[in-house]
Amino acid sequence: MLHFDQSELNSSESNETNLDYDFVSLDKWDFNVIPLQHQSNVDETKKNSGSKLPSAFKILKEYDTIRFKRSKTDKKIITNSECIKLSVDEILRLGAEKFIPSCTIHGDREAYMLFASSFLGLSEDDTRNVALVENLLASAEKVSQKQYDRARRILNECDKFCSNTGNPVHRLAYYFSQALRDRIDRDTGRDSSKDIGMNRLVPMEHLLMNLDLSMIAAHQNIPLSQVTQFAGVQAIINHVGESKKVHIIDLDIGCGMQWTILMQALYTHECGCESSLKHLRITALCTKLRHKIEDTRERLMDFAVSLNLPFSFNIVMVEDVMKHKQEDFEIDDEEAIAIFARYILMRMLAQPDKLDSLMRVIRGINPRAMIVIEVEANHNSPAFVDRFVEALFFYGAFFDSLEDCMRYDERNRTAIESEHLRSIVATEGEERTIRHVKVDVWGAFFARYGMEEMELSMSSLYQANLVLNNFACGSCCTLEMNKNCPLIGWKGTPLISLSAWKFS
């Protein structure tokens, strides 16, 4: 169930922002690890509290305050003679806590030589999992220090226990180990490929086709996907649902599943009131693979016919986002326009000129609402280790959700897990195409174009609750409000933000 405080849903004024703002400046690392009560660790930490931590990993010392308000839900881990089973998040935190004093004490010694059975209350599996996390952190530290041979030796130890078909920690370690090896190879000139994260032997279109199928599977099985789609569509209805003509501009339509939700809602609304919708138009922005968007158009056209809903679908095809113009969207003055931006803006962070061009076109269109769905994480720091640590905890929660929701769908689960992570860890500069920033950063950016955040209605949050009631694992999905923006998470770790914006 979603839990939120009514007082947190009140509107607040947008803050003024410097026009020279960049996407890194709000990534303030203010963490606080909640001590895990393993006596051997507590004593060791106290004894070495004055030691100097490696600068790259000072963020680990404080890991929880940037995340959800754990004081509401946090549970201490206390070991005793009985074995306990740890969550993925607890394993990551414990591995991080174990790594910090080992760094201060042993300096240059490899982490895999440091781990001992000091957590007597843990199961054998959890003990091994904690060691995997500690070794990943140690390897990342060696990579940041350009000690590549030492990093490889630690990764060799990780590879003895990690697997892309094991438990969530094994899978997490597998993909992070792969990404670290890619980074080492690229830094040392052993890898000439620029196509990071992709299987170089598989044609691009086959990959995209399989990914589409995997995304459909994720939509069906993971509550996070449906929560954002239903709540986002409800937000659109709240702003354009009473209009005679509705125009939706989707910046990355994909399979278009979200618009079947909108059509059903508009159809139900039309049947229940005297005012009838004259026309629904969807425009999809497309820069490549037009045939896939045409397949989406055919599916949505057929669905609209089944509802007897007046509907048209346009494709705006441009090779480069910087070349598209407001006129391409053929705006009708009688239309109520909403823009839907789901996981698309983050892809332009590496190319700010394209993002600026898109935003200027959107400002010219002046929609009633712009609905933005983005990853809620700091994966755009220029510092490699900062990105690594944040990605480790973020993907730990995400892999945990896949374990609970897609345990018996190995093929699609593997396809989803293998996406994006390598780009964040292994690449730099323009090659690092996957960049995530938090909603506060997006808010500061949108303010440059005269946009202000709108409050999501209670009906949107109600839709989210209805969705979760349909999932056996729905209780693991959590929500916190960041001003007017819900942050949807998994077991307390934020993963996705949903926000609504308008031009002031």
Side-chain angles (χ1 to χ4, degrees), residues 257-458:
M257 289 179 290
Q258 62 274 17
W259 305 128
T260 63
I261 301 170
L262 176 69
M263 289 179 183
Q264 288 176 309
L266 291 176
Y267 173 76
T268 303
H269 180 72
E270 181 182 355
C271 293
C273 65
E274 297 180 0
S275 176
S276 61
L277 176 71
K278 289 185 177 180
H279 191 252
L280 169 64
R281 177 155 67 115
I282 292 178
T283 297
L285 182 64
C286 176
T287 58
K288 57 185 176 180
L289 299 175
R290 182 186 178 100
H291 68 279
K292 295 177 69 65
I293 306 300
E294 290 174 343
D295 290 343
T296 297
R297 174 172 61 186
E298 292 305 312
R299 288 193 296 269
L300 291 177
M301 292 292 290
D302 290 343
F303 192 78
V305 169
S306 71
L307 298 176
N308 195 28
L309 197 70
F311 175 68
S312 63
F313 187 107
N314 299 337
I315 300 175
V316 173
M317 182 75 189
V318 290
E319 293 182 0
D320 189 335
V321 171
M322 292 188 70
K323 295 181 180 180
H324 85 296
K325 304 178 294 295
Q326 180 181 334
E327 293 76 20
D328 295 335
F329 295 96
E330 301 176 359
I331 302 300
D332 182 340
D333 291 339
E334 296 181 0
E335 292 176 328
I337 303 172
I339 292 179
F340 192 71
R342 182 182 58 169
Y343 306 129
I344 180 65
L345 301 180
M346 67 182 187
R347 301 179 200 169
M348 300 182 187
L349 289 177
Q351 299 172 303
D353 290 346
K354 290 187 176 182
L355 185 55
D356 177 71
S357 176
L358 176 64
M359 291 302 302
R360 291 181 186 278
V361 171
I362 291 174
R363 182 168 60 185
I365 294 172
N366 193 20
R368 290 193 183 182
M370 178 173 172
I371 306 302
V372 178
I373 299 174
E374 284 290 349
V375 170
E376 180 67 7
N378 290 318
H379 297 155
N380 195 35
S381 171
F384 157 68
V385 170
D386 290 2
R387 293 200 312 274
F388 183 91
V389 172
E390 178 72 12
L392 185 65
F393 281 85
F394 175 88
Y395 282 101
F398 182 60
F399 278 33
D400 193 25
S401 73
L402 296 178
E403 169 74 7
D404 288 347
C405 302
M406 299 184 71
R407 185 177 305 174
Y408 304 109
D409 187 359
E410 186 63 37
R411 179 179 178 181
N412 288 314
R413 176 182 176 182
T414 302
I416 295 169
E417 287 175 339
S418 62
E419 283 297 305
H420 297 168
L421 189 154
R422 283 191 179 187
S423 175
I424 295 170
V425 174
T427 62
E428 294 293 347
E430 291 185 359
E431 293 178 40
R432 184 160 57 85
T433 57
I434 303 301
R435 304 184 178 213
H436 305 137
V437 296
K438 295 196 172 188
V439 69
D440 288 338
V441 181
W442 284 118
F445 173 73
F446 292 148
R448 296 172 58 181
Y449 299 89
M451 299 185 78
E452 59 185 25
E453 189 175 5
M454 297 187 291
E455 181 179 7
L456 284 182
S457 68
M458 289 299 296

Side-chain angles (χ1 to χ4, degrees), residues 159-199:
D159 291 348
K160 293 178 182 179
F161 302 104
C162 64
S163 165
N164 64 345
T165 58
N167 65 41
V169 177
H170 292 168
R171 291 168 178 259
L172 190 70
Y174 173 85
Y175 289 110
F176 271 89
S177 177
Q178 292 269 313
L180 285 170
R181 288 186 184 278
D182 278 341
R183 185 179 184 92
I184 292 171
D185 288 344
R186 294 164 74 80
D187 286 354
T188 57
R190 295 188 181 185
D191 187 359
S192 61
S193 171
K194 301 293 185 182
D195 191 16
I196 203 72
M198 288 292 189
N199 185 333

Side-chain angles (χ1 to χ4, degrees), residues 42 54 70 78 103 131 142 165 200 240 289 306 313 339 346 352-353 468 501:
V42 172
R70 286 192 157 293
I78 303 177
C103 287
K142 299 307 178 189
T165 58
R200 296 147 198 159
V240 303
L289 299 175
S306 71
F313 187 107
I339 292 179
M346 67 182 187
D353 290 346
L468 291 181
W501 306 84

Side-chain angles (χ1 to χ4, degrees), residues 8-212:
E8 291 182 291
L9 301 182
N10 294 331
S11 304
S12 61
E13 297 181 358
S14 300
N15 295 326
E16 292 296 325
T17 309
N18 191 319
L19 292 182
D20 294 327
Y21 180 81
D22 70 271
F23 284 98
V24 178
S25 58
L26 276 188
D27 294 353
K28 302 299 184 185
W29 296 101
D30 183 18
F31 298 115
N32 238 348
V33 162
I34 295 178
L36 308 181
Q37 302 301 309
H38 298 276
Q39 190 58 46
S40 60
N41 245 22
V42 172
D43 293 341
E44 188 176 50
T45 303
K46 286 180 179 178
K47 183 175 65 177
N48 296 281
S49 59
S51 302
K52 183 179 180 181
L53 290 176
S55 60
F57 281 95
K58 286 181 180 178
I59 53 175
L60 281 172
K61 187 180 179 183
E62 309 169 341
Y63 183 67
D64 264 342
T65 38
I66 197 171
R67 305 163 68 206
F68 279 148
K69 299 164 186 167
R70 286 192 157 293
S71 58
K72 297 180 180 179
T73 59
D74 223 284
K75 296 180 179 179
K76 302 291 185 182
I77 303 171
I78 303 177
T79 58
N80 51 36
S81 58
E82 297 181 3
C83 287
I84 59 173
K85 183 68 176 176
L86 301 183
S87 69
V88 174
D89 182 71
E90 288 166 339
I91 287 170
L92 293 176
R93 289 165 52 209
L94 187 52
E97 183 194 358
K98 186 74 172 75
F99 170 76
I100 293 171
S102 70
C103 287
T104 62
I105 298 168
H106 300 278
D108 288 340
R109 287 175 60 187
E110 275 74 1
Y112 63 86
M113 299 295 293
L114 307 177
F115 187 82
S117 297
S118 55
F119 307 114
L120 299 179
L122 298 186
S123 68
E124 183 178 348
D125 285 344
D126 281 343
T127 299
R128 186 177 295 115
N129 290 339
V130 171
L132 273 174
V133 173
E134 186 183 359
N135 286 346
L136 281 176
L137 292 169
S139 178
E141 181 197 20
K142 299 307 178 189
V143 169
S144 71
Q145 297 169 348
K146 302 188 184 304
Q147 299 180 27
Y148 299 119
D149 289 339
R150 293 188 177 193
R152 284 195 186 96
R153 288 200 295 270
I154 298 172
L155 291 176
N156 289 340
E157 292 300 314
C158 286
D159 291 348
K160 293 178 182 179
F161 302 104
C162 64
S163 165
N164 64 345
T165 58
N167 65 41
V169 177
H170 292 168
R171 291 168 178 259
L172 190 70
Y174 173 85
Y175 289 110
F176 271 89
S177 177
Q178 292 269 313
L180 285 170
R181 288 186 184 278
D182 278 341
R183 185 179 184 92
I184 292 171
D185 288 344
R186 294 164 74 80
D187 286 354
T188 57
R190 295 188 181 185
D191 187 359
S192 61
S193 171
K194 301 293 185 182
D195 191 16
I196 203 72
M198 288 292 189
N199 185 333
R200 296 147 198 159
L201 302 178
V202 180
M204 177 69 75
E205 294 203 8
H206 290 180
L207 283 164
L208 291 172
M209 184 179 300
N210 291 335
L211 185 57
D212 278 351

